[in-house]
């Protein structure tokens, strides 16, 4: 009885924490407008150095370069960059312009160029 | 003789204060759990909309970290918390919330990485997931060694060392993981808070593992008697040397080491003597022979030798629960804290009635039997002895303490009594259930368990 009460209590607290996590995930969805005015990185200024820097800043903390490059290499070549871009857009740590830079960078790495 | 700064019997206002303090402590705990997530939400350095599941995974990570760093607070022998909830309540809560940490830590990378199990690879070449993966696997090892300690033959002392080393490693790796992910932790405020939680984890660890051991080692107690009580139970009578010892409430326990506290195992043992201390401030611990320490070291503790005592702890006490009388239910060595309660009632001249149900296997297993029979003439005590294997001429109760037996002996004003149970875990479960079935309010039934791990 004693420990059953504690177990129920712990389960109640866990449920509360999960609900608050859901609330958090819902709450941060409103940041799109907040960063709309952020200075974009233009695709036209693509350089490998800049793209590699964007990769290091946004991705390398969790994914060593060979992992997504290997994944990109498995995508059909004509749509490779688009596939990588789509994945990055779903993952979403970088801005849209940075995603495009990184997608092209990884696609080029996968193609060996 | 009593130092005003030491505990006194609690009255009704104290009980309300205890409830209030308990609520405050729990509120602080919950706020502490939510603070990193709240700060992450307020600082939010991320500049794009990310998938809902990814954010949910991140949120679970931000909850798992304060949960794991606060785990030690629950079992860090913090006396002010132990007195409010009871050590067994804190231990069980620690155990259950540990499982919640494991759940959150397991789900966190899967949600944050679209179900990529490579996140659990402890040899990943990316630093941040590698630290996270190690934290997860060590947490799993910690959970399994705790859950199956007895099955894998791990001694309590060795398990404790492993548990603490793993806990520190898990929290340190989790911190490095959090700081390495360039997400919310790219905010300096978030990073500072996360580092603060790790320091907050280390402080009670230091207090428990270093400072309290130092204090314990510097406050020596001397064995002045090592008495054989029969039934493979010995009573160590100890007195403080060069310090005043401590006051306690009847029913509380202390950690005791028969060697130096840094190098010797410490065991939680109920104090079996009266809380009304004599001039030499001696206290008694009655210890059943159950293992290597209690079976070999305790009998060898010679008169004049040193022991080290850290206490008092625990919330189960007649002082804490005002009632018109007390029903005490003991199984085997569970009699020891209840003996302390009865001796204290005698020494205080407390006129309130006591009913003691005491169960054992044989007549020889009844510890303190003669003393208890003598106590019937000194306090208002009804003694109900129950033997499962009684001798032929036994005139007491036979079998086990059950609902029918309780009903037969409970006084008319039973609803206004307080109930204290001490014994094996299964007995505690059965008695708690029986008493509630007999209409005793759950809030009047008290017990404390020592077999959590």
């Amino acid at each position: 009885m004693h420990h059953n009460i504690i177990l129920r209590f712990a389960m109640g607290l866990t449920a509360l924490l999960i609900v608050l996590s859901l609330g958090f995930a819902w709450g941060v969805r409103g940041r799109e407008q907040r960063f709309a005015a952020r200075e974009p990185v233009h695709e036209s200024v693509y350089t490998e150095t800049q793209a590699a820097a964007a990769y290091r800043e946004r991705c390398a903390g969790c994914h060593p370069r060979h992992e997504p490059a290997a994944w990109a290499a498995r995508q059909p070549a004509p749509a490779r960059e688009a596939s990588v871009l789509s994945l990055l857009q779903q993952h979403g740590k970088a801005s849209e312009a940075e995603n495009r830079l990184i997608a092209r960078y990884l696609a080029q790495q996968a193609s060996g160029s | 003789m009593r130092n005003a700064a030491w505990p006194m019997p609690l009255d009704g206002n104290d009980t309300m204060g205890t409830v209030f303090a308990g609520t405050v402590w729990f509120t602080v705990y919950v706020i502490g759990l939510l603070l990193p997530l709240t700060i992450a939400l307020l600082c939010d350095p991320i500049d794009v909309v990310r998938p809902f599941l990814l954010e949910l995974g991140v949120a679970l990570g931000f909850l798992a970290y304060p949960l794991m760093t606060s785990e030690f607070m629950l079992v860090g022998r913090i006396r002010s918390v132990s007195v409010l909830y009871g050590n067994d309540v804190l231990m069980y809560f620690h155990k259950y919330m540990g499982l919640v940490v494991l759940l959150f830590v397991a789900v966190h990378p899967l949600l944050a990485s679209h179900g990529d199990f490579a996140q659990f690879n402890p040899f990943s070449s990316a630093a941040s997931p590698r630290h996270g993966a190690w934290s997860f696997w060590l947490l799993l090892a910690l959970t399994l060694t705790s859950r199956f300690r007895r099955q894998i033959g791990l001694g309590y002392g060795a398990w404790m060392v492993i548990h603490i080393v793993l806990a520190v490693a898990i929290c340190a790796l989790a911190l490095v993981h959090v700081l390495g992910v360039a997400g919310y932790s790219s905010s300096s405020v978030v990073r500072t808070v996360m580092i603060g939680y790790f320091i907050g984890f280390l402080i009670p660890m230091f207090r428990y593992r270093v400072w309290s051991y130092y204090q314990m080692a510097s406050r020596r107690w001397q064995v002045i008697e090592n008495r054989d009580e029969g039934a493979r139970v010995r009573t160590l009578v100890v007195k403080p040397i060069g310090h005043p010892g401590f006051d306690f409430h009847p029913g509380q326990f202390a950690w005791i080491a028969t060697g130096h506290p840094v190098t010797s195992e410490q065991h939680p043992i109920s104090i079996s003597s009266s809380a009304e201390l004599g001039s030499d401030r001696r206290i008694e611990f009655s210890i059943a022979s159950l293992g290597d320490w209690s079976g070999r070291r305790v009998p060898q503790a010679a008169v004049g030798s040193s022991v080290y005592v850290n206490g008092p702890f625990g919330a189960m006490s007649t002082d804490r629960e005002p009632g018109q009388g007390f029903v005490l239910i003991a199984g085997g060595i569970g009699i020891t804290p209840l003996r302390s309660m009865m001796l204290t009632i005698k020494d205080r001249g407390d006129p309130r009635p006591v009913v003691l149900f005491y169960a054992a296997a044989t007549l020889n297993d009844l510890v303190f039997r003669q003393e208890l029979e003598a106590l019937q003439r000194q306090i208002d005590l009804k003694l109900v002895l129950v033997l499962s294997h009684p001798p032929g001429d036994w005139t007491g109760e036979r079998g086990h303490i059950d609902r029918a037996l309780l009903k037969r002996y409970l006084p008319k004003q039973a609803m206004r009594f307080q109930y204290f149970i001490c014994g094996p875990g299964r007995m505690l479960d059965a008695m708690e259930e029986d008493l509630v079935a007999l209409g005793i309010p759950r809030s009047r039934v008290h017990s404390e368990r020592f077999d959590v791990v």
Side-chain angles (χ1 to χ4, degrees):
Chain A
M1 184 177 79
H2 205 69
H3 50 93
N4 283 342
I5 294 170
I6 304 163
L7 176 61
R8 282 183 211 146
F9 200 73
M11 287 169 72
L13 179 60
T14 306
L16 172 71
L17 295 178
I18 291 172
V19 167
L20 290 171
S21 298
L22 291 166
F24 174 88
W26 179 82
V28 295
R29 289 168 67 85
R31 63 162 76 108
E32 192 169 22
Q33 291 79 21
R34 195 149 47 98
F35 290 99
R38 187 175 180 270
E39 187 177 337
V41 177
H42 294 291
E43 218 181 333
S44 57
V45 297
Y46 175 85
T47 63
E48 186 167 324
T49 309
Q50 191 177 7
Y55 183 86
R56 272 199 304 278
E57 187 185 350
R58 297 299 189 182
C59 314
C62 299
H63 307 283
R65 198 185 61 194
H66 65 85
E67 281 181 10
W71 182 86
R74 292 197 295 274
Q75 309 309 309
R80 183 169 290 150
E81 186 174 330
S83 299
V84 177
L85 180 61
S86 173
L87 178 74
L88 293 174
Q89 285 167 336
Q90 287 175 50
H91 195 304
K93 187 175 277 184
S95 67
E96 181 62 18
E98 285 169 317
N99 278 341
R100 289 182 181 281
L101 274 178
I102 296 166
R104 179 169 298 179
Y105 173 66
L106 291 175
Q108 287 179 358
Q109 295 285 318
S111 305
S113 59
Chain B
M1 288 306 294
R2 193 178 280 274
N3 184 321
W6 288 341
M8 294 288 285
L10 304 175
D11 60 18
N13 290 335
D14 291 328
T15 304
M16 285 302 293
T18 302
V19 173
F20 177 73
T23 308
V24 168
W25 263 107
F26 185 71
T27 306
V28 169
Y29 171 73
V30 174
I31 289 172
L33 295 184
L34 299 179
L35 192 64
L37 190 65
T38 308
I39 288 175
L41 184 64
L42 294 175
C43 293
D44 190 4
I46 299 181
D47 48 6
V48 290
V49 176
R50 306 196 298 187
F52 181 83
L53 286 180
L54 189 151
E55 294 292 358
L56 179 60
V58 170
L60 291 178
F62 268 99
L63 289 172
Y65 182 71
L67 272 171
M68 68 171 70
T69 52
S70 63
E71 278 285 271
F72 199 84
M73 296 282 284
L74 300 173
V75 290
R77 297 191 198 176
I78 300 171
R79 203 163 294 145
S80 56
V81 182
S82 161
V83 165
L84 294 175
Y85 299 104
N87 262 55
D88 60 339
V89 170
L90 293 171
M91 287 292 284
Y92 273 109
F93 192 66
H94 167 84
K95 183 174 159 179
Y96 294 139
M97 295 319 289
L99 293 174
V100 174
V101 173
L102 181 63
L103 173 71
F104 283 9
V105 168
V107 173
H108 153 72
L110 291 177
L111 289 177
S113 67
H114 307 279
D116 180 11
F117 280 90
Q119 297 291 313
F120 292 104
N121 178 9
F123 303 107
S124 165
S125 53
S128 186
R130 187 171 66 238
H131 294 130
W134 273 110
S135 185
F136 166 77
W137 289 113
L138 294 183
L139 180 60
L140 187 63
L142 179 143
T143 307
L144 292 176
T145 50
S146 301
R147 173 65 183 79
F148 299 107
R149 178 179 76 80
R150 289 193 176 92
Q151 288 88 335
I152 59 179
L154 198 57
Y156 181 80
W159 168 81
M160 180 59 82
V161 171
I162 291 171
H163 201 72
I164 289 169
V165 169
L166 286 177
V168 173
I170 289 163
C171 289
L173 286 163
L175 175 66
V176 176
H177 165 73
V178 172
L179 297 181
V181 177
Y184 291 95
S185 59
S186 57
S187 156
S188 58
V189 178
V190 174
R191 294 168 75 87
T192 305
V193 168
M194 300 313 249
I195 292 167
Y197 270 71
F198 185 69
I199 294 169
F201 159 77
L202 288 179
I203 288 172
M205 178 72 80
F206 175 82
R207 181 186 177 281
Y208 176 31
R209 281 291 148 188
V210 181
W211 179 242
S212 76
Y213 280 27
Y214 165 76
Q215 278 190 316
M216 212 171 157
S218 64
R219 292 159 67 90
R220 196 169 69 85
W221 297 65
Q222 189 179 58
V223 177
I224 55 174
E225 190 179 352
N226 187 344
R227 198 167 59 230
D228 185 355
E229 304 284 5
R232 301 177 70 209
V233 173
R234 300 198 74 91
T235 294
L236 288 183
V237 185
V238 300
K239 70 173 184 180
I241 302 297
H243 61 93
F246 55 77
D247 276 351
F248 63 93
H249 293 302
Q252 288 192 295
F253 70 93
W255 293 83
I256 180 168
T258 45
H260 194 280
V262 175
T263 54
S264 304
E265 286 183 19
Q266 296 180 28
H267 295 263
I269 304 291
S270 293
I271 302 167
S272 59
S273 52
S274 170
E276 293 297 315
L277 299 177
S279 57
D280 65 355
R281 305 191 64 76
R282 68 174 64 186
I283 58 176
E284 297 181 8
F285 297 95
S286 299
I287 305 162
S289 173
L290 298 172
D292 185 54
W293 179 78
S294 55
R296 288 177 50 197
R297 301 284 173 81
V298 171
Q300 290 170 357
V303 171
S305 64
S306 295
V307 295
Y308 300 89
V309 182
N310 182 15
F313 295 96
M316 189 185 80
S317 176
T318 41
D319 278 358
R320 185 185 152 118
E321 314 293 347
Q324 287 190 359
F326 304 104
V327 173
L328 312 179
I329 304 173
I333 192 62
I335 189 67
T336 54
L338 309 186
R339 177 189 188 235
S340 173
M341 292 175 183
M342 289 181 285
L343 292 178
T344 304
I345 284 170
K346 183 193 81 171
D347 288 349
R348 288 177 184 165
D350 190 333
R352 288 178 290 180
V354 178
V355 181
L356 171 66
F357 295 89
Y358 183 18
T362 69
L363 193 59
N364 290 335
D365 293 326
L366 288 171
V367 196
F368 308 122
R369 182 179 154 215
Q370 289 176 345
E371 181 182 84
L372 293 171
E373 286 171 347
L375 263 177
Q376 286 186 108
R377 296 184 290 276
Q378 297 165 316
I379 63 173
D380 184 356
L381 170 66
K382 170 71 182 170
L383 186 59
V384 183
L385 301 177
V386 186
L387 296 180
S388 56
H389 298 91
D393 58 348
W394 176 249
T395 56
E397 293 291 341
R398 294 162 183 261
H400 300 280
I401 304 173
D402 57 18
R403 205 172 296 178
L405 182 77
L406 288 170
K407 197 173 180 180
R408 212 155 56 239
Y409 287 99
L410 286 185
K412 287 179 184 172
Q413 64 275 39
M415 301 297 165
R416 294 177 180 174
F417 276 42
Q418 296 284 358
Y419 294 75
F420 296 91
I421 317 167
C422 197
R426 283 184 184 175
M427 178 192 172
L428 298 190
D429 289 337
M431 291 299 97
E432 287 170 346
E433 196 176 302
D434 286 342
L435 288 170
V436 172
L438 288 169
I440 307 301
R442 195 166 285 194
S443 61
R444 288 181 174 265
V445 180
H446 316 284
S447 63
E448 199 149 18
R449 293 158 196 262
F450 293 90
D451 57 352
V452 180
V453 180

